């Protein structure tokens, strides 16, 4: 019988709302940060609705002070 390797990679899933200041945490609802094996990080964000009037979306003037 051929031996098969066993893998048990650590996976961490965090809600982005937990990582932000309480005043703006609600703006990050539905965003998740997944880290695999302490090295690979993937951010999952909800789908953005596209329409012809405002695509591509523009960033606010001061990106560090988001409000919506």
């Amino acid at each position: 019988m051929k031996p098969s390797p066993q893998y048990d990679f650590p996976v961490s899933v965090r809600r982005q709302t937990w990582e932000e200041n309480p005043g703006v945490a609600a703006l990050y609802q539905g965003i998740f940060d997944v880290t695999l094996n302490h090295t690979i990080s993937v951010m999952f964000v909800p789908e953005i609705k596209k329409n012809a009037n405002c695509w591509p979306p523009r960033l606010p003037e001061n990106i560090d002070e988001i409000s919506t």
Side-chain angles (χ1 to χ4, degrees), residues 11-39:
V11 176
S12 169
V13 179
R14 294 183 312 275
R15 293 179 185 269
Q16 193 60 30
T17 54
W18 298 347
E19 306 297 321
E20 304 299 329
N21 292 329
V24 295
L27 300 173
Y28 294 88
Q29 190 68 30
I31 299 175
F32 294 88
D33 185 20
V34 178
T35 305
L36 173 64
N37 206 22
H38 304 292
T39 56

Side-chain angles (χ1 to χ4, degrees), residues 41-52:
S41 182
V42 179
M43 185 84 53
F44 291 90
V45 298
E47 182 179 1
I48 298 173
K49 294 183 180 180
K50 299 177 185 179
N51 63 40

Side-chain angles (χ1 to χ4, degrees), residues 3-11 36-37:
S4 61
Q6 297 293 322
Y7 297 105
D8 189 17
F9 294 114
V11 176
L36 173 64
N37 206 22

